[in-house]
């Protein structure tokens, strides 16, 4: 127990050294109190037990997330940080590049140019926008979608693998996932052609034709159909790997007049320089 310093001093010998009685207790001088070694040991043990108890209860209640591979792939982790892009399958990327749609673009480098889907590229552990932060990872997008832009800059082909963790009904890709990807992909020709290379979604209409089965590649084909000042109308369709139309969409984009958004033309030029092409 803690002994008041005044009491300890009365017990001390005349020379100021600690008495045999205090020495036998393992007295440690303090600023206001003198503490015995048993007291310090008891206090440390209580702190350890308290910390272990809080950790155990917190883990049971879900307040504390322990670092593990499962936790890194959890939705909570991916919202705060990019999914571990090192776990994105290179086999999926290769499979996307071997689809008929990709081969057609690759075989015509005078007409089609590959561009990145994510820009800037997602980095492990970094904060990320919505799509790479929540939908990129094993059994989700699986790998960065493959993108091709036509030389007229009005047509884009995007090939993506939609995994089982993007389902609503069992084995069926959630309609909201399709809507999110349509919103991003139809924006590409609008973004490329509107003033300052800036586009905001004004409307998006989707027709779901048949279920999209998870675990296979899908092809988004989008085209700019009308450009009127600050407005761009875009159409798109989603096909499975057999060429069957799964859904289609119509979108309207606007380059805002009174919203302070940066000019993205320099970024567009940088993105398009990532992969070599003939234009």
């Amino acid at each position: 127990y803690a002994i008041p310093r005044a009491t300890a001093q009365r017990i001390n010998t005349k020379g100021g050294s600690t008495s045999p009685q205090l020495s036998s207790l393992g007295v440690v001088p303090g600023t206001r109190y003198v503490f015995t070694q048993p007291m310090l040991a008891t206090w440390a043990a209580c702190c350890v037990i308290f910390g272990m108890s809080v950790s155990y209860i917190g883990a049971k209640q879900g307040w504390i997330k322990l670092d593990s591979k499962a936790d890194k792939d959890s939705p909570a982790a991916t919202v705060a940080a990019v999914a571990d892009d090192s776990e994105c399958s290179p086999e999926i990327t290769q499979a996307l590049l071997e689809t008929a749609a990709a081969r057609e673009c690759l075989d015509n480098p005078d007409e089609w140019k590959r561009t990145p889907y994510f820009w800037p590229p997602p980095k492990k552990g970094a904060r990320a926008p919505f799509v790479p932060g929540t939908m990129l990872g094993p059994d989700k997008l699986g790998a960065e979608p493959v993108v091709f832009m036509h030389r007229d800059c009005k047509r884009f082909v995007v090939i993506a693998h939609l995994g089982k963790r993007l389902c609503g009904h069992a084995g069926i890709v959630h309609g909201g996932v399709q809507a999110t990807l349509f919103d991003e992909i139809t924006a590409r020709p609008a973004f490329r052609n509107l003033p300052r290379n800036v586009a905001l979604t004004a409307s998006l209409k989707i027709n779901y034709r048949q279920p999209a089965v998870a675990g296979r590649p899908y092809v988004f084909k989008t085209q700019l159909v009308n450009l009127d000042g600050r407005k761009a109308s875009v159409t798109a369709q989603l096909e499975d790997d057999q060429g069957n139309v799964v859904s289609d969409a119509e979108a309207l984009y606007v380059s805002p007049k009174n919203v302070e958004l940066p000019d993205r033309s320099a970024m567009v030029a940088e993105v398009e320089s990532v992969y070599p092409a003939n234009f």
Side-chain angles (χ1 to χ4, degrees), residues 87-98 142-143 161:
E87 295 184 15
C88 292
S89 171
E91 290 79 10
I92 290 180
T93 299
Q94 186 60 36
L96 297 179
L97 291 170
E98 291 176 355
H161 185 277

Side-chain angles (χ1 to χ4, degrees), residues 83-220:
D84 187 350
D85 52 295
S86 64
E87 295 184 15
C88 292
S89 171
E91 290 79 10
I92 290 180
T93 299
Q94 186 60 36
L96 297 179
L97 291 170
E98 291 176 355
T99 58
R103 292 308 320 169
E104 182 179 354
C105 294
L106 291 170
D107 291 342
N108 293 278
D110 292 330
E111 297 295 323
W112 293 93
K113 173 183 176 63
R114 187 179 174 187
T115 64
Y117 185 89
F118 295 121
W119 192 263
K123 296 180 180 180
K124 181 180 178 181
R127 290 280 178 177
F130 173 65
V131 171
T134 58
M135 294 171 61
L136 178 62
D139 291 327
K140 294 183 282 187
L141 285 179
E144 179 180 353
V146 174
V147 182
F148 294 96
M149 180 184 71
H150 193 265
R151 68 178 303 124
D152 63 10
C153 302
K154 296 180 179 181
R155 286 178 281 171
F156 283 78
V157 173
V158 180
I159 308 154
H161 185 277
L162 305 182
K164 61 184 179 181
R165 290 181 65 185
L166 298 179
C167 292
H169 297 289
I172 304 299
V173 177
H174 196 291
V177 171
Q178 293 187 50
T180 298
L181 294 175
F182 267 129
D183 186 39
E184 287 215 323
I185 294 168
T186 54
R188 291 176 181 268
F191 186 90
R192 186 60 179 76
N193 290 276
L194 283 172
R196 297 182 295 152
N197 296 125
V198 177
L200 297 179
T201 310
S203 66
L204 176 65
K205 177 184 177 181
I206 302 173
N207 300 306
Y208 297 96
R209 306 296 182 182
Q210 57 180 307
V213 180
R216 62 176 63 174
Y218 284 89
V219 181
F220 291 83

